[in-house]
Amino acid sequence: MERKEEEAQETREELEASTELSAETKAALCALIKELDEILRSPKLTDSQKVVSIEALLYTWITANKLPIWEARREGDFVTVEMPSERWKQLVYLRNYVPEKGVWVVTVAYNREISPNTCAETIVLKGNEKGITDQNMLYYESHGRTTDEKELKKRHEEIVRKIREGEIELQS
């Protein structure tokens, strides 16, 4: 009986050790939670702006880290993610800085849905010539399941033009 208890304790310890987050993962989660907290506590943002900002932040984290969240399945207390190597492939990545507005326009397309019914989308984020400085989404446009590079480049350039000419109103 004592031996079985020892084995059970060893199994519990092994499970705890194997599910413990790495320091890098903990640091990344802390950064994400801090950014979410700043958005939620911001007195300058309306509730709808907070929702858009949180969506932009999560979208940025998901796409930047290629997290296959739409492949995750919950089974009781466990979450499993199917991650075959060929599943995710970035097909299009377009990025333009619009200096007169201080924003980056980013269009991406993947071979799989990056959100429900969407394989390609364009987002606009604050930034400078060195890169994106704020994860709050100022504009979003889904391109549905379109993955044709020429078509997306045309749409991307049209969005850039409309931003430059003030036809697209950016959230602040």
Side-chain angles (χ1 to χ4, degrees), residues 77-140:
D77 291 338
F78 297 99
V79 175
T80 59
V81 179
E82 188 180 323
M83 293 183 64
S85 60
E86 190 61 31
R87 282 247 150 141
W88 287 89
K89 183 177 177 188
Q90 190 174 56
L91 304 174
V92 175
Y93 181 76
L94 304 169
R95 186 173 152 155
N96 284 86
Y97 177 59
V98 182
E100 58 269 32
K101 300 289 184 176
V103 298
W104 281 91
V105 181
V106 181
T107 300
V108 294
Y110 288 88
N111 64 331
R112 301 186 50 82
E113 290 184 349
I114 52 180
S115 62
N117 300 313
T118 301
C119 294
E121 54 196 11
T122 298
I123 62 170
V124 178
L125 302 164
K126 286 183 184 177
N128 58 35
E129 60 281 343
K130 293 180 183 176
I132 295 167
T133 59
D134 188 339
Q135 299 298 326
N136 292 317
M137 193 175 343
L138 304 174
Y139 178 78
Y140 170 84

Side-chain angles (χ1 to χ4, degrees), residues 32-33 35-36 39 50-67 69-70 114 121 123 135-137:
L32 175 61
I33 290 166
E35 290 181 56
L36 286 167
I39 292 168
K50 288 178 183 181
V51 169
V52 170
S53 295
I54 289 170
E55 287 175 345
L57 176 63
L58 293 175
Y59 167 82
T60 302
W61 274 74
I62 291 164
T63 57
N65 295 294
K66 296 186 172 85
L67 300 174
I69 63 163
W70 293 275
I114 52 180
E121 54 196 11
I123 62 170
Q135 299 298 326
N136 292 317
M137 193 175 343

